[in-house]
């Protein structure tokens, strides 16, 4: 990993030598040309594999470049008429960090040279689109026959031979510091020949171990290279320096989304206890968890870089929201993404339990055959009582009515009834009327043991009972007692006060081996569809916050949906909600004659969040003064 150094301000000019294939672009151009030129050939896939293998062997230094180039051109069978299609393809394959930093490339165009063993015919149109000068491109040229077929390359060009890049740099006779950025062994050779001060192995698109081990530094992106050299860049902080820690087997799509952004992603399959998380969270900017990992105030004391937490589930009771807010850490969750999955599990379990399917199935596995209707009922006409009428409760209400059930609900918040559902004035009223009771409350501390001995005593004899919400809401000994006495004829439980942290730990509970009880390992939202939805939704919110400052959907921050940042710098100021902060900020902007493009403010009981878009030209002292305002919690800058 790079360490920040400063080499700006020296008397010598710095020159930047940049490779093209797999550096300036995400792909190897001749590989793409092969995909175009070989269309229709039955051996196309085999030939493409050969070309790619030859490319990799040449780039890693296993075979000479001249041999690599000859072999590939002979296999390509390409034509001049196919070059426009290649250029169009390459335009869409420019490396993300190069596209982001067009301003740097344009402003330093005089001192940037693209030196490539590729070909000018397709390189010049690509690099000039980002401001690089055509005369600063040194590359091979194709040789065409009379029909326009590509048959060879110019043998007089030094870049057509081994050691060609070093020869080009030697001929340029650059007077100053020379930095080389590339992914191939030929780029390292410039440094090895003494013609460059540093070689940066560029790994945004491909990582070649033999090249990386030769590098002075590894640059996972152009942002990282610019940051390392204190140069102007598109991002206030290179994304490769943003560490993401994802726990508890979050969906792979989430990993992919973060990696596509260039973040440094670490994955752990299980949950972490407090001490383990304290050790793991150092230098982490984004934390992703599910329901088993507790983010406590003690953990947050060691989270020196944490900006945001994503709960890849509905609830956030496992996160100390108050401590997060005080430290300026935004928290997001997935309140809707697995709603349907939980509803379907509830409906399935209601039917299974009221029909006594589980004991009949268990009996058959032991050789029994109980073909009777005893203790087996339809759900039609039964009264379903919903404790909690949020996203899941309301959708379950609609589905239950479609099955012919009467729906009653109780919620401490005034909710509009859907369909023919009836609102109960109290929890006691609901418990007394329902044939089936399903819990869908949140995980706040006040709900601990919401259902205990007293509540079970108020229920009908033979009630069906489900808890698919939070483990601590039901006092387990009271539920066990109600089942053993026959008060509860069947129970479905998906959540427990104590749950194993990993799939390898034993599940221990007094509910084991009780009759007509369905136990599931906290899988209410664990369907492929739900997990993929969550895997898309939560990273989307986290990335909006990191990249744009938007907090819409946060459970603890003032919610702001911000416009995209264009032509300005965005200053994000999080502070304790006390009077006068905005006035102090604006007095600083006025003092330095800063033009404000846009300003947004929202507060909640604890904090205020001010976003100010300003013109790019301002003194460094402005940032320091903004950070120095009393009651400032966190300050961030987006370019």
């Amino acid at each position: 990993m790079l360490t920040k150094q400063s080499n700006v301000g020296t008397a010598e000019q710095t020159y930047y030598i940049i490779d093209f294939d797999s550096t300036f672009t995400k792909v190897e151009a001749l590989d793409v040309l092969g995909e175009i030129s070989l269309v229709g050939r039955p051996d196309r896939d085999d030939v493409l594999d050969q070309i790619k293998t030859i490319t990799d062997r040449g780039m890693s230094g296993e075979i000479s470049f001249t041999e690599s180039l000859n072999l590939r051109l002979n296999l390509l069978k390409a034509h001049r008429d196919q070059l426009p299609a290649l250029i169009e393809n390459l335009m869409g394959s420019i490396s993300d960090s190069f596209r982001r930093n067009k301003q740097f490339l344009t402003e330093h165009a005089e001192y940037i040279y693209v030196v490539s063993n590729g070909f000018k015919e397709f390189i010049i149109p690509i690099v000039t689109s980002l401001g690089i000068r055509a005369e600063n491109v040194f590359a091979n040229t194709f040789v065409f026959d009379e029909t326009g077929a590509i048959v060879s390359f110019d043998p007089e060009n030094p870049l057509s031979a081994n050691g060609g890049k070093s020869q080009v740099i030697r001929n340029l006779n650059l007077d100053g510091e020379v930095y080389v950025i590339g992914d191939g062994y030929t780029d390292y050779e410039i440094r090895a020949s003494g013609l460059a001060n540093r070689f940066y192995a560029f790994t945004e698109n491909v990582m070649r171990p033999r090249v990386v081990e030769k590098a002075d530094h590894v640059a996972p992106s152009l942002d990282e290279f610019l940051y390392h050299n204190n140069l102007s860049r598109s991002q206030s902080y290179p994304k490769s320096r943003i560490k993401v820690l994802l726990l508890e087997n979050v969906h792979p799509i989430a990993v992919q989304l973060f990696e596509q952004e260039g973040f440094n992603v670490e994955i752990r399959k299980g949950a972490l206890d407090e001490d383990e998380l304290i050790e793991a969270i150092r230098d982490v900017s984004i934390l992703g968890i599910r329901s088993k990992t507790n983010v406590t105030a003690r953990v947050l004391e060691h989270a020196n870089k944490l900006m945001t937490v994503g709960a890849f589930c509905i609830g956030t009771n496992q996160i100390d929201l108050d401590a997060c807010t005080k430290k300026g850490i935004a928290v997001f969750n997935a309140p809707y993404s697995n709603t349907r999955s939980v509803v379907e599990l509830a409906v399935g379990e209601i039917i299974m339990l009221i029909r006594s399917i589980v004991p009949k199935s268990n009996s058959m596995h032991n050789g029994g055959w109980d073909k009777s209707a005893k203790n087996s009922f339809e759900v039609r006409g039964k009264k379903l009582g919903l404790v909690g009428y949020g996203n899941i409760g309301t959708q379950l209400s609609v589905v239950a009515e479609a099955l012919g059930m009467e729906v009653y609900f109780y919620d401490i918040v005034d909710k509009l009834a859907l369909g023919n559902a009836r609102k109960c004035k109290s929890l006691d009223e609901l418990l007394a009327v329902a044939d089936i009771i399903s819990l869908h409350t949140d995980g706040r501390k006040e709900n601990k043991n919401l259902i205990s001995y007293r509540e079970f005593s108020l229920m009908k004899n033979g009630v069906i009972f489900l808890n698919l919400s939070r483990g601590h809401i039901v006092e387990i000994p009271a539920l066990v007692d109600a089942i053993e006495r026959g008060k509860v004829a069947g129970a479905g439980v998906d959540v427990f006060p104590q749950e194993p942290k990993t799939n390898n730990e034993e599940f221990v509970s007094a509910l084991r081996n009780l009759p007509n009880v369905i136990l599931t390992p906290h899988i209410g939202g664990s369907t492929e569809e739900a997990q993929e939805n969550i895997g898309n939704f939560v990273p989307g919110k986290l990335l909006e916050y990191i990249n744009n400052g938007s907090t819409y959907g946060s459970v603890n921050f003032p919610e702001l949906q911000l416009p995209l940042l264009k032509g300005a710098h965005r200053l994000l100021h999080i502070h304790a909600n006390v009077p006068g902060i905005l006035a102090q900020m604006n007095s600083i902007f006025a003092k330095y004659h800063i033009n404000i493009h846009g300003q947004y403010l929202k507060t909640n009981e604890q904090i205020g969040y001010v976003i100010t878009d300003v013109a790019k030209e301002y003194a460094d002292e402005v940032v320091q003064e903004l950070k120095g305002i009393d009651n400032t919690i966190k300050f961030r800058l987006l370019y």
Side-chain angles (χ1 to χ4, degrees):
M1 182 57 69
L2 303 184
T3 56
K4 186 177 178 184
Q5 297 181 5
S6 175
N7 51 36
V8 176
T10 60
E12 288 187 319
Q13 177 60 53
T14 301
Y15 296 90
Y16 308 99
I17 311 301
I18 304 177
D19 182 37
F20 183 76
D21 292 288
S22 293
T23 298
F24 207 100
T25 58
K26 302 176 184 179
V27 294
E28 292 285 328
L30 292 187
D31 293 356
V32 178
L33 182 57
E35 294 174 3
I36 297 169
S37 67
L38 297 170
V39 169
R41 281 183 47 171
D43 61 345
R44 179 174 182 263
D45 290 343
D46 290 338
V47 176
L48 288 175
D49 285 342
Q50 291 180 53
I51 292 172
K52 187 177 186 308
T53 299
I54 293 167
T55 299
D56 289 339
R57 293 182 66 198
M59 294 301 293
S60 64
E62 291 181 37
I63 60 176
S64 71
F65 171 74
T66 303
E67 181 182 0
S68 165
L69 191 54
N70 271 313
L71 290 171
R72 285 181 288 166
L73 287 182
N74 287 335
L75 289 168
L76 281 172
K77 308 299 183 187
H79 193 277
R80 188 199 306 271
D81 293 345
Q82 293 161 340
L83 293 180
L86 171 62
I87 292 168
E88 182 179 357
N89 189 300
L90 294 178
M91 281 291 188
S93 299
I94 296 173
S95 296
D96 295 336
S97 64
F98 275 78
R99 196 182 297 278
R100 280 195 300 269
N101 289 287
K102 179 179 179 180
Q103 182 177 344
F104 166 79
L105 298 173
T106 302
E107 290 177 353
H108 293 77
E110 182 180 353
Y111 308 107
I112 294 175
Y113 294 86
V114 174
V115 180
S116 171
N117 296 119
F119 291 81
K120 286 185 177 182
E121 285 85 352
F122 55 76
I123 293 177
I124 288 177
I126 307 303
V127 301
T128 54
S129 72
L130 293 189
I132 291 176
R133 298 178 178 182
E135 60 268 27
N136 283 10
V137 175
F138 293 85
N140 280 299
T141 52
F142 288 123
V143 172
F144 304 91
D145 67 13
E146 63 278 3
T147 69
I150 298 173
V151 293
S152 185
F153 48 85
D154 177 11
E156 300 300 319
N157 190 322
L159 289 164
S160 68
N162 300 331
K165 288 189 176 182
S166 298
Q167 184 59 51
V168 167
I169 303 303
R170 187 175 289 109
N171 294 343
L172 285 171
N173 194 28
L174 302 175
D175 184 17
E177 296 271 306
V178 176
Y179 298 157
V180 178
I181 308 168
D183 67 284
Y185 197 82
T186 56
D187 303 304
Y188 159 69
E189 287 178 341
I190 301 172
R191 174 76 167 92
S193 64
L195 295 167
N197 300 88
R198 295 180 191 169
F199 166 55
Y200 288 83
F202 189 80
T203 60
E204 181 172 333
N205 304 312
V206 64
M207 200 280 288
R208 307 183 198 277
R210 189 172 177 219
V211 177
V212 168
E213 69 182 18
K214 297 290 187 182
D216 295 297
H217 301 282
V218 176
S221 66
L222 186 59
D223 303 290
E224 185 78 30
F225 169 81
L226 299 178
Y227 180 81
H228 184 253
N229 291 287
N230 279 345
L231 295 165
S232 175
R233 58 198 178 278
S234 67
Q235 300 171 352
S236 57
Y237 200 69
K239 291 190 175 183
S240 58
R241 289 179 175 266
I242 293 179
K243 183 177 179 181
V244 181
L245 176 61
L246 301 177
L247 307 178
E248 304 182 62
N249 273 334
V250 302
H251 196 277
I253 191 68
V255 180
Q256 180 182 335
L257 289 170
F258 286 124
E259 288 181 339
Q260 284 176 352
E261 285 289 315
F263 295 161
N264 178 9
V265 183
E266 180 183 354
I267 309 162
R268 302 206 188 181
K269 291 185 177 180
L272 299 181
D273 63 28
E274 189 175 53
D275 288 336
E276 290 171 329
L277 187 53
I278 285 172
E279 183 63 32
I281 206 168
R282 290 187 177 91
D283 297 326
V284 168
S285 299
I286 301 172
L287 174 65
I289 63 169
R290 292 174 72 184
S291 57
K292 295 178 184 177
T293 299
N294 291 307
V295 183
T296 65
R298 180 168 169 253
V299 168
L300 295 172
E301 289 174 6
H302 297 82
N304 56 317
K305 292 185 179 178
L306 192 62
M307 290 189 279
T308 184
V309 177
F312 285 72
C313 53
I314 295 175
T316 56
N317 56 292
Q318 72 277 38
I319 303 168
D320 190 328
L321 295 179
D322 185 60
C324 283
T325 306
K326 288 178 180 176
K327 290 183 70 67
I329 297 166
V331 179
F332 299 88
N333 67 336
Y336 315 110
S337 299
N338 64 0
T339 300
R340 181 68 186 190
S341 296
V342 178
V343 168
E344 289 188 4
L345 180 63
V347 171
E349 290 196 352
I350 288 169
I351 295 172
M352 294 279 284
L353 292 167
I354 206 166
R355 293 286 299 271
S356 296
I357 297 297
V358 173
K360 284 183 168 61
S361 175
N362 291 340
S363 175
M364 290 187 69
H365 279 288
N366 292 320
W369 184 264
D370 178 16
K371 191 179 182 301
S372 72
K374 185 179 180 181
N375 296 324
S376 182
F377 305 93
E378 292 182 351
V379 296
R380 182 175 52 177
K382 301 300 184 293
K383 296 178 175 66
L384 171 64
L386 300 172
V387 182
Y389 204 61
N391 300 318
I392 294 174
T394 52
Q395 191 169 141
L396 178 54
S397 171
V398 172
V399 175
E401 278 200 9
L403 291 171
M405 302 177 77
E406 295 179 25
V407 178
Y408 296 79
F409 71 91
Y410 171 71
D411 199 302
I412 60 173
V413 178
D414 190 27
K415 296 289 183 68
L416 177 67
L418 299 183
N420 296 313
R422 305 171 196 177
K423 181 178 181 179
C424 295
K425 295 179 181 178
S426 66
L427 176 60
D428 288 0
E429 179 187 344
L430 181 138
L431 297 177
V433 75
D435 301 307
I436 303 161
I437 295 170
S438 189
L439 307 184
H440 301 286
T441 67
D442 61 35
R444 69 187 68 185
K445 294 177 182 178
E446 293 80 6
N447 284 336
K448 183 176 182 181
N449 294 337
L450 179 69
I451 306 296
S452 189
Y453 290 96
R454 176 185 173 277
E455 286 69 34
F456 281 113
S457 72
L458 297 175
M459 298 178 191
K460 290 182 178 181
N461 290 327
V463 70
I464 300 298
F465 180 81
L466 274 72
N467 182 17
L468 309 182
S469 55
R470 300 290 185 273
H472 67 272
I473 292 172
V474 178
E475 189 169 5
I476 297 300
L479 175 57
V480 171
D481 174 71
I483 294 170
E484 290 177 339
R485 289 188 297 107
K487 185 74 171 183
V488 171
V493 185
D494 185 52
V495 289
F496 307 88
Q498 289 83 38
E499 297 180 358
K501 288 188 173 64
T502 69
N503 292 341
N504 298 322
E505 294 182 33
E506 182 184 2
F507 167 66
V508 178
S509 175
L511 292 168
R512 286 169 53 175
N513 301 315
L514 291 176
N516 203 24
V517 174
I518 299 175
L519 303 178
T520 50
H522 205 146
I523 57 166
S526 295
T527 61
E528 289 290 341
E529 293 90 345
Q531 292 308 305
E532 184 172 355
N533 288 339
I534 293 171
N536 274 295
F537 182 85
V538 177
K541 292 298 180 184
L542 299 175
L543 291 172
E544 279 187 2
Y545 178 63
I546 293 293
N547 293 336
N548 196 43
S550 291
T551 54
Y552 187 75
S554 173
V555 297
N556 69 323
F557 260 44
E559 290 189 90
L560 277 171
Q561 184 71 57
L562 299 171
L564 293 175
L565 179 62
K566 292 182 179 179
H569 286 182
R570 178 162 287 172
L571 312 178
L572 313 176
H573 194 276
I574 305 166
H575 54 269
N577 186 10
V578 297
I581 299 291
L582 183 61
Q584 291 183 64
M585 292 179 65
N586 286 337
S587 68
I588 293 171
F589 295 137
K591 173 183 173 182
Y592 288 94
H593 306 289
I594 292 173
N595 183 31
I596 295 177
H597 292 193
Q599 194 167 56
Y600 316 87
L601 165 67
K602 203 162 187 183
T603 63
N604 61 21
E605 291 182 359
Q606 288 184 283
I607 62 171
Y609 186 39
V610 177
I611 295 90
T612 308
D613 293 346
V614 303
K616 295 181 179 180
E617 295 76 24
Y618 54 86
D620 292 341
E621 290 79 10
V622 173
V623 170
Q624 297 308 314
E625 291 196 29
L626 290 170
K627 289 180 178 180
I629 294 174
D630 287 344
N631 295 297
T632 296
I633 297 172
K634 242 175 197 172
F635 177 88
R636 218 162 38 103
L637 175 63
L638 296 177
Y639 291 161

